[in-house]
Amino acid sequence: MWIFDSYHRGSVELWDRSRGSPKPLTFRYSPSFYLHLEDPHAHWEMTEGLESRFKVKECSFDTIYGPLDGYEIWAGRDVALKIEKQTRLQAQLYNVDLRVDQRYLADKGLFPCGNEGDSRFDTDFDLPLTSLEIEVDANPQLTRMMTGITVRNCSRDTRLNGPERQVLADLFDLVKVIDPDMILFPDADLWVPRMVAKAEKYSLDPSLSRTGWFRNMASKSYWSYGKMEHKHGAVIPEGRILIDTENSFTYRESGIAGIILASRLTGLSPNLTSRYTPGTLISNYEVYEALQRGIAVPFRKWDAERQRKIVDLKAADKGGMIFQPQPGVHENAYELDFTSFYPSIIVNYNLSPETLDGANRRGFLSAVIEPLLDLRLETKRLKKIDPKYKGLDSVLKWMLVTCFGYTGYKNAKFGRIEVHESITSISRELLIKTKQIAESMDLKVLHGIVDCLWVKGGDASLFKEKVEAAAGIGTELDPYDWIVFLPLADGFGAYNRYFGRLSNGKLKVRGVAARKRDTPEYVRRMQMDVFAKMGEARSIEELLQIKPQAVEIVKRYHRELPSADPSEMVIHRRISKLNYEKRCVQASAIQAHKRRGVKVSPGMTVGYVIRDASKWEVDTEWDASEFDLDYYAKLIGKAWDEASFAFKFIEGRCS
């Protein structure tokens, strides 16, 4: 059985690619949840009431902390909520809010996008899916009409043009004839809801779904890691994989291979893994692992953080270690980077909520992260040999990056803030130990950020060996011909703003204008052209000789600025709220989009061009015909200041 879509609609429905059937396999499945009461006798009336209405069985069930006595109840979430209310939140409930299809697969030892008997952690797997590409020839934010659509099938393009009703009818007929398993569709989550609505209006059969049914995902704005995010809603066809190739983070970073691997690991359909964040993917991976291991998943968090004294909090919660660098240019430096640092710490130090008391047992979190970490190390090795593994490596990288953050997330099923603090505490100790090893070898330490250290001089290979032996974690060593650490406004070194030429001739650029999302393309291109010219230099001496050519690049961009295309002046910025008390560029951007008829929600990224910076007058990215020359000239100047710091430093040192 090769499952490529699954959902629950009264029964669990699975689409099996190996059967080639136009209909899903249907399975009756009635999931239960667990109830544990500290004092069952205090709630005997409630228990009797449950037994009179539902199937209830006394039992013992496993949690990450050990077995609990309680009840297994065959009822839904609404009953669990009533139990909470009846017991005034004293009841401990498990396996309440799990996806039914995911739970069914775990119970049956199945997983999506793989055959029975396969390992979910294989790097090589079959992908027996037929696909089709659809693209609407319009901007979904500016128009709702679909009068031109391009369909690509096996490198053959079919153009559909004409009245909207006819275009949609032709599209649905074409999809029905080709009958693909997977549809790749830019802005699908904006276009498909409109297609379904128009199909009803025109009395058409929207064959994007093999059953005629669609599942809805609501749009939402939410806070994540201190910033507002927005997630589009979606209308997902049953029996097909629909990938929004424009708005899916997982597709953008990992491609189809990454989506399929995430599906195999989490027990979720590709439709969901393409739309979920890495944090949601790692959370579902842990849930699926728990279900397979027979461990009950808590409904509410009761162990997110225990009460502690303020002095203990101040001692524990310090975050990752960062060394402040001395601003300047350094030749023949090395960057030592720990591989999957935080996940490796979780595994090596057996960190999990239930092992914080020093219990001598394997922790759940370390046990389930280990195979994921091993798989990442394997794909990291394989992608250097064959680029086809790059997507697999990318999705694993992002899942492992977020697994650390989720240990401190109060609603994470298997998180606990003390685990989060233990990880950062150990990371600080390891980075300090790495620094001490470097100094014992007479290496000069230039900078350090959480999981990497820049050093200069000595035997770098021997340094790498000693660090790996001491830390028990693999590392990668990147040699630089030269590297520049930039200053802050106060003259001290910036923690995360640097650029340099690696010994293989490639440039590494971090934290500067060219790397920021809100930098206009014209300014980004200017700075990257300067960096590319600087990258031709193999030494500080050669770098200084290149200065006149770099200066000429900047002058050219200044000269050509008045005739530049306004589309290259677009600034993209995330909107955190819709109402602002004072006039600002964000408020003006929101108003400009409203005038254009574009709905803006908190967390969305909008594009605008500044027409008059003195009044914060802006145009949307689609309407801009002019821009504030002085404002954009200043942005060019700031980007040049970042690059030219290297020349100023070298000149100052030579004088």
Side-chain angles (χ1 to χ4, degrees), residues 282-468:
I282 191 67
S283 180
N284 274 279
Y285 165 75
E286 292 171 2
V287 166
Y288 187 82
E289 282 289 320
L291 292 172
Q292 283 215 317
R293 295 164 187 254
I295 295 173
V297 180
F299 179 38
R300 307 286 189 195
K301 289 292 294 179
W302 56 269
D303 63 341
E305 184 174 10
R306 295 176 181 176
Q307 191 174 40
R308 292 181 287 173
K309 296 179 180 179
I310 188 65
V311 292
D312 295 331
L313 281 173
K314 292 176 72 173
D317 191 13
K318 293 180 179 177
M321 174 70 74
I322 299 178
F323 303 135
Q324 191 163 40
Q326 188 72 28
V329 186
H330 304 275
E331 271 188 311
N332 301 320
Y334 297 89
E335 179 184 347
L336 185 79
D337 194 353
F338 285 102
T339 302
S340 295
F341 193 37
Y342 282 167
S344 296
I345 289 174
I346 292 173
V347 173
N348 291 3
Y349 290 84
N350 193 31
L351 296 179
S352 193
E354 76 278 19
T355 61
L356 292 172
D357 58 1
N360 187 23
R361 62 176 180 271
R362 184 70 190 280
F364 169 77
L365 199 58
S366 60
V368 301
I369 294 299
E370 184 172 23
L372 208 61
L373 178 61
D374 290 342
L375 185 58
R376 167 81 210 286
L377 296 176
E378 178 68 4
T379 57
K380 192 176 179 71
R381 180 187 66 82
L382 289 172
K383 75 175 182 179
K384 296 176 182 178
I385 304 170
D386 189 338
K388 77 174 186 178
Y389 295 101
K390 187 176 180 180
L392 306 184
D393 184 69
S394 179
V395 75
L396 292 168
K397 178 191 78 173
W398 284 109
M399 288 176 67
L400 287 168
V401 164
T402 54
C403 81
F404 159 70
Y406 262 59
T407 60
Y409 177 43
K410 67 178 182 179
N411 292 324
K413 299 298 186 183
F414 301 103
R416 186 168 154 187
I417 191 64
E418 290 95 332
V419 175
H420 191 277
E421 292 168 350
S422 295
I423 295 168
T424 55
S425 175
I426 293 168
S427 76
R428 294 194 299 270
E429 293 173 4
L430 291 176
L431 195 62
I432 291 172
K433 184 182 292 185
T434 301
K435 178 176 179 287
Q436 291 170 342
I437 293 172
E439 291 171 339
S440 71
M441 297 176 62
D442 294 326
L443 301 178
K444 182 180 179 181
V445 176
L446 303 175
H447 189 20
I449 308 177
V450 182
D451 62 349
C452 58
L453 197 74
W454 286 266
V455 299
K456 182 178 179 179
D459 187 337
S461 297
L462 180 59
F463 172 55
K464 171 181 165 69
E465 291 177 11
K466 287 189 174 183
V467 170
E468 290 181 346

Side-chain angles (χ1 to χ4, degrees), residues 106-365:
D107 285 352
K108 301 301 181 182
L110 301 172
F111 60 89
C113 304
N115 296 305
E116 294 177 72
D118 290 350
S119 168
R120 291 157 52 226
F121 301 94
D122 281 343
T123 55
D124 294 295
F125 47 81
D126 295 329
L127 193 58
L129 299 172
T130 58
S131 65
L132 183 73
E133 296 180 40
I134 298 174
E135 186 171 354
V136 178
D137 305 333
N139 187 320
Q141 293 182 294
L142 301 181
T143 180
R144 301 183 67 86
M145 295 298 291
M146 292 164 277
T147 56
I149 295 177
T150 300
V151 180
R152 296 185 181 90
N153 181 36
C154 299
S155 302
R156 177 184 175 185
D157 288 6
T158 301
R159 296 274 301 171
L160 307 175
N161 293 290
E164 185 179 62
R165 186 188 189 286
Q166 187 60 51
V167 167
L168 290 178
D170 291 344
L171 173 67
F172 297 150
D173 287 344
L174 197 57
V175 171
K176 192 171 185 178
V177 170
I178 297 172
D179 195 24
D181 301 314
M182 177 168 58
I183 297 175
L184 306 179
F185 192 166
D187 290 312
D189 291 344
L190 295 176
W191 285 121
V192 172
R194 300 172 193 177
M195 286 183 173
V196 174
K198 293 288 180 74
E200 183 176 351
K201 174 184 175 181
Y202 297 136
S203 300
L204 302 174
D205 173 21
S207 300
L208 298 177
S209 170
R210 279 172 165 156
T211 64
W213 289 82
F214 294 82
R215 289 165 285 155
N216 294 306
M217 291 180 66
S219 64
K220 64 177 181 178
S221 298
Y222 59 96
W223 280 99
S224 176
Y225 292 98
K227 59 185 178 182
M228 181 65 73
E229 301 278 2
H230 180 76
K231 182 178 181 181
H232 289 300
V235 172
I236 304 172
E238 292 185 350
R240 293 196 206 279
I241 301 171
L242 176 66
I243 308 295
D244 185 333
T245 57
E246 181 68 25
N247 298 300
S248 168
F249 176 85
T250 304
Y251 178 82
R252 189 166 61 247
E253 292 290 321
S254 310
I256 294 298
I259 290 172
I260 297 301
L261 178 60
S263 182
R264 290 163 63 92
L265 294 172
T266 61
L268 301 174
S269 71
N271 274 320
L272 296 180
T273 58
S274 71
R275 289 169 173 80
Y276 283 166
T277 64
T280 303
L281 294 179
I282 191 67
S283 180
N284 274 279
Y285 165 75
E286 292 171 2
V287 166
Y288 187 82
E289 282 289 320
L291 292 172
Q292 283 215 317
R293 295 164 187 254
I295 295 173
V297 180
F299 179 38
R300 307 286 189 195
K301 289 292 294 179
W302 56 269
D303 63 341
E305 184 174 10
R306 295 176 181 176
Q307 191 174 40
R308 292 181 287 173
K309 296 179 180 179
I310 188 65
V311 292
D312 295 331
L313 281 173
K314 292 176 72 173
D317 191 13
K318 293 180 179 177
M321 174 70 74
I322 299 178
F323 303 135
Q324 191 163 40
Q326 188 72 28
V329 186
H330 304 275
E331 271 188 311
N332 301 320
Y334 297 89
E335 179 184 347
L336 185 79
D337 194 353
F338 285 102
T339 302
S340 295
F341 193 37
Y342 282 167
S344 296
I345 289 174
I346 292 173
V347 173
N348 291 3
Y349 290 84
N350 193 31
L351 296 179
S352 193
E354 76 278 19
T355 61
L356 292 172
D357 58 1
N360 187 23
R361 62 176 180 271
R362 184 70 190 280
F364 169 77
L365 199 58

Side-chain angles (χ1 to χ4, degrees), residues 66-100:
L68 287 176
D69 292 328
Y71 304 90
E72 186 173 7
I73 303 170
W74 278 263
R77 188 176 189 272
D78 57 332
V79 176
L81 293 173
K82 290 177 181 178
I83 291 174
E84 277 192 326
K85 185 177 181 179
Q86 179 75 18
T87 61
R88 298 181 180 180
L89 302 180
Q90 295 302 306
Q92 290 185 31
L93 296 163
Y94 295 80
N95 291 2
V96 171
D97 57 343
L98 306 181
R99 291 190 61 85
V100 178

